[in-house]
Each structure stands twice: as C-alpha cells, then as structure tokens.
Amino acid sequence: PRGNIFPEGAVIKSTATDPSVVDDAGVFRLEGPARVYTSEKGAIAAIKDGKIKEGDVMILTGIGPMGTGMEETYQVTSALKYLPFGKRVALITDARFSGVSTGACIGHAGPEGLAGGPIGKLRDDDVIRIAIDCHANTGSADFVGEGGREFNAEEGAAILAARPSRADMAPNPQLPDDTRLWAALQRLSGGTWGGCVYDVDAILEALG
C-alpha cells in the first residue's frame, strides 16, 4: 500500500481483517480520527482506559528500527480483539506484527517516525482514510482532514511535510548498540523499503 502517511510503502495483513467489515468487493474501508501513541504501553493503557472508540485509527509511531528495533505489536491487536467493536478499529505503525495478530493492521510504515516520516507528524483527531483491497492485496491510508476541514491526499501530504515531527518520540534508551547500528545502516541504505535487511552496496556508496 501507499499513502501520504507512508509514501515509501507499508505492509497490510489483509487476511487478518474480520470478513464482516469487508464489503462485497473485498475492500475494508474506514475513515476516522487518529489516536496517536509513541509506545505500545501507552496504546495498551488507552485501550484499557476506554479511550479508543469504534471507528478510531490507532497510530503507533516512533517504534520502528530506530526507536525500539522494530518491536512487534501483538499486544495492541490482541487487546483490540476483545473489544466489542475492535474489528472496526484500525492500527497503523512503523513497527511490525506478530504472526497471530488480528484486525486491520498496517505496519512497516516508511519512512519511520524517527526518520522524519509523516507517520511521526500525525496528531490526535487528524482524519485518516483507509482502503484495503483484501483480494488484490493493495491499499492506501491517507491523512485527509483536520479541525473540521477535509482535503485530498495531495494537500494532506503538503500539510504533513510542513509539520515538525512529534516531540514525544525518542529512541528507547536501552536499545542495544548492535540494534542501533542495524537501524542506522538500514536508514543509510534507503530505510525500511530500501531493504528491511540493509543494502551493503548502497551504504558503501553513501559513505564514499
């Protein structure tokens, strides 16, 4: 999938989407307010405290390679599964998913938040529009509204480009040095979609 939230791409776990929220054409559609979190712990707390509502789009940013070594977010999708409306909540993250994750999941968003990616510039109540074709394995997720005003994906991209990254994102201070090095090499060789395993030739060219 592509979109102004992840212009370099992402991964959709389309088969995990509940069939009851997919239309006759095989498309999952959701347009709703962003609920932005910079840690899995914060996202879980929001679910437990009843802060997540039907139709929300949970944004989990700053936990990609540079943030936490790209942790898996199964706990969030597992918690949503037990809400009566959880199948009508989507999750977009620059981290990854467990093999048993369920729900409308979009991960590996690139560029990641800590690399200046648009996902790290989203704010609560930004309007997010998602369309996932579960048959064709294509889709999009775009920032299309704020403050009661709607706009197209191109204008949304321009607004995000002008915003600063969130100040509450930061690398985990306990991130091991070898993970920090992997994240730095990956970023230098093109980011998540320049190769989840870094491109040695691209790194050597950049260093030269």
Side-chain angles (χ1 to χ4, degrees):
R2 296 279 176 170
N4 62 25
I5 297 173
F6 38 78
E8 290 181 358
V11 167
I12 292 174
K13 192 174 181 185
S14 59
T15 55
T17 306
D18 192 298
S20 68
V21 295
V22 176
D23 67 20
D24 292 340
V27 181
F28 168 79
R29 301 181 191 277
L30 179 66
E31 183 170 326
R35 302 288 177 243
V36 186
Y37 304 94
T38 57
S39 71
E40 187 178 55
K41 182 179 179 180
I44 291 292
I47 294 171
K48 289 183 175 179
D49 293 344
K51 295 179 180 178
I52 302 302
K53 309 298 182 185
E54 182 174 340
D56 284 349
V57 179
M58 296 187 72
I59 305 294
L60 197 48
T61 183
I63 62 170
M66 296 172 63
T68 63
M70 205 168 198
E71 67 185 277
E72 60 90 9
T73 56
Y74 167 67
Q75 291 187 68
V76 176
T77 59
S78 177
L80 288 173
K81 184 178 181 179
Y82 291 98
L83 296 180
F85 53 83
K87 61 187 177 183
R88 295 184 178 87
V89 175
L91 173 65
I92 303 174
T93 182
D94 53 10
R96 60 188 175 89
F97 300 116
S98 163
V100 293
S101 291
T102 57
C105 307
I106 303 175
H108 291 244
E112 63 178 300
L114 283 169
I119 191 172
K121 300 180 179 183
L122 292 170
R123 303 167 180 166
D124 284 342
D125 296 316
D126 283 345
V127 179
I128 309 299
R129 179 180 297 151
I130 298 172
I132 298 174
D133 188 325
C134 298
H135 294 165
N137 282 332
T138 59
S140 61
D142 292 291
F143 162 55
V144 294
E146 64 171 343
R149 187 173 71 90
E150 292 191 5
F151 36 77
N152 60 29
E154 290 72 23
E155 185 175 353
I159 293 171
L160 288 174
R163 284 183 181 178
S165 295
R166 297 180 63 91
D168 55 352
M169 290 189 304
N172 189 309
Q174 297 182 333
L175 204 62
D177 283 346
D178 57 351
T179 304
R180 293 173 59 215
L181 177 60
W182 165 73
L185 291 172
Q186 187 204 58
R187 182 184 182 190
L188 190 62
S189 65
T192 299
W193 293 104
C196 289
V197 177
Y198 48 78
D199 183 331
V200 175
D201 291 333
I203 292 167
L204 292 174
E205 182 179 350
L207 291 174

